[in-house]
Amino acid sequence: MSLAETSTERIIAPARNILGSLRLPGDKSISHRYALLGGLAHGITRLTNFSTGADCASSLACVEALGAKVARSGDGKIEIEGVGGTFHPTDAPLDCGNSGSTMRMLAGLLAPQQGSFALIGDASLSRRPMERIRKPLAQMGAKIDLTDGHAPVTIHSAKLNAIDYTTPVPSAQVKSAVLFAGLQTTGRTTVRESVRTRDHSELALRGFGAHIERTLESVSIEGPQQLHAIEAAVPGDISSAAFFLCAAALFPDSNLVFDSLGLNPTRATLLDALTALGAHIGVLNLEEKSGELVGTVQVNAPRDGLTGTTISGALAAQLIDELPVLAAIGPYTKNGIRIRDAKELRVKESDRIALVAENLRAMGAEVIEFEDGLDVPGGQQLHAAEINSGGDHRIAMAFSIAALRATGDTLIRGAESAAISFPEFFTLLDQVTER
Ligand code: S3P
């Protein structure tokens, strides 16, 4: 096969080793929250190491359209002069691009505001379920129209009341939407969840000066409260690091170090999963910055290869964004990777269960697909293939990692989608890969 790269296709050749040290752009989840809450707050929020991904640019553009003043200096420094509590309705719809986080969390922020707002997204986002935010917000009294449960999302003025809501599916975005509405609503709003999902909204709300109360299974906010601007450095994105951590775990002589990586316990489950697979993970220099844990992480592969593991229950929810890359390296483990209770993967930027199975098969692997997961048997050698990323950033990056241990050169189609969360991915991958 003779392959050529284009602006949408990348060729990944097999690697001999992964070595180096990396400092990654800011966490996508945290950047979204700082952009949205900074847009609503009083004063000027000053951020460094803001996510370079297109998704967080969508959040920034939305708050800008809503009246916040945004200055971007190009090196991850962002200044946001917030609207001080009142967003201005826009003539044009607010474009959330590919970003479910933007659409769902912004809907919560806008539901208690005066005026009408329309939220639109790209083809992938327009297929994703929005009823999950409409339902609790409607319970609060919000007036929200969807089309068949999907975007466009139209929000009309309404007076909201506080609620006590138990999320039916673990979702940090739904939890955040309700909390962001509760922040601006008189009374005590409580969100309960059976699995503790990422808690960046809770930490960010506190950072912006809001008072919230937490128990093991619930978080409550008494509204209304005002937010005040922050100055913060966004920690490196652990979900971006995941691709490199998994790559390093595949090569016996690897050594990879990440500086200033976000290590929020609700996000760092991948380190436990890699440890369970036999990788050696070291964590140093742990500190707290704006409520978030940050540290240095070193990864080395086990000399005799990765073992295998099952990911189900709460673990599946906590690892939801890392499951594609874990599944993609499953064939190179001894005992395989089993994933269950991960039905949510089917409603991400793509149907990630179907695409992981399709691409593993294209690379010659045996894989069994379940409604809520996958069995990827171990001890399989993958061969080069043409990968269908489905325009999904995490699929493009996951199979770029699988390609490092395959025989032959792999073509990643839709490789440009990596820029949704991690535009530097291919450059940094080249930087740490020995061939
Ligand atoms: C996110 C929450 C998760 C995750 C997404 C980012 C967030 O989605 O998959 O990439 O920043 O809150 P759900 O809330 O739909 O589980």
Side-chain angles (χ1 to χ4, degrees), residues 98-123:
N98 189 245
S99 174
S101 299
T102 306
M103 186 170 275
R104 294 188 179 128
M105 294 196 289
L106 190 56
L109 268 191
L110 292 176
Q113 295 269 324
Q114 288 296 312
S116 292
F117 304 90
L119 275 54
I120 57 168
D122 69 6

Side-chain angles (χ1 to χ4, degrees), residues 28-29 33 101 104 170-173 198 320-321 348 394:
K28 176 161 92 68
S29 292
R33 285 148 174 92
S101 299
R104 294 188 179 128
S171 164
Q173 294 171 357
R198 63 192 70 193
I320 198 79
D321 291 340
K348 293 293 178 188
R394 296 203 199 279

Side-chain angles (χ1 to χ4, degrees), residues 268-410:
T269 312
L270 177 71
L271 302 184
D272 299 332
L274 285 171
T275 305
L277 286 169
H280 305 293
I281 306 278
V283 177
L284 296 165
N285 309 325
L286 258 193
E287 24 169 2
E288 197 187 307
K289 288 189 178 167
S290 307
E292 293 284 353
L293 274 187
V294 181
T296 301
V297 172
Q298 179 173 28
V299 57
N300 300 104
R303 287 229 64 84
D304 47 358
L306 297 170
T307 54
T309 193
T310 296
I311 297 161
S312 61
L315 279 184
Q318 283 158 358
L319 279 166
I320 198 79
D321 291 340
E322 288 71 58
L323 293 177
V325 66
L326 281 167
I329 63 166
Y332 303 124
T333 63
K334 274 182 252 169
N335 306 320
I337 305 252
R338 284 171 40 122
I339 297 171
R340 291 292 187 284
D341 305 320
K343 207 169 155 198
E344 275 292 294
L345 282 178
R346 294 203 181 269
V347 291
K348 293 293 178 188
E349 287 83 327
S350 67
D351 178 342
R352 288 181 173 161
I353 293 178
L355 273 183
V356 165
E358 174 189 327
N359 287 310
L360 279 173
R361 286 188 189 118
M363 296 183 85
E366 182 196 320
V367 45
I368 307 165
E369 191 180 326
F370 297 85
E371 186 50 27
D372 67 341
L374 296 154
D375 273 1
V376 185
Q380 309 189 71
Q381 176 56 53
L382 301 184
H383 59 66
E386 294 188 4
I387 298 301
N388 166 23
S389 71
D392 182 330
H393 55 132
R394 296 203 199 279
I395 299 293
M397 293 188 277
F399 281 88
S400 299
I401 301 309
L404 298 175
R405 278 264 313 254
T407 50
D409 291 353
T410 296

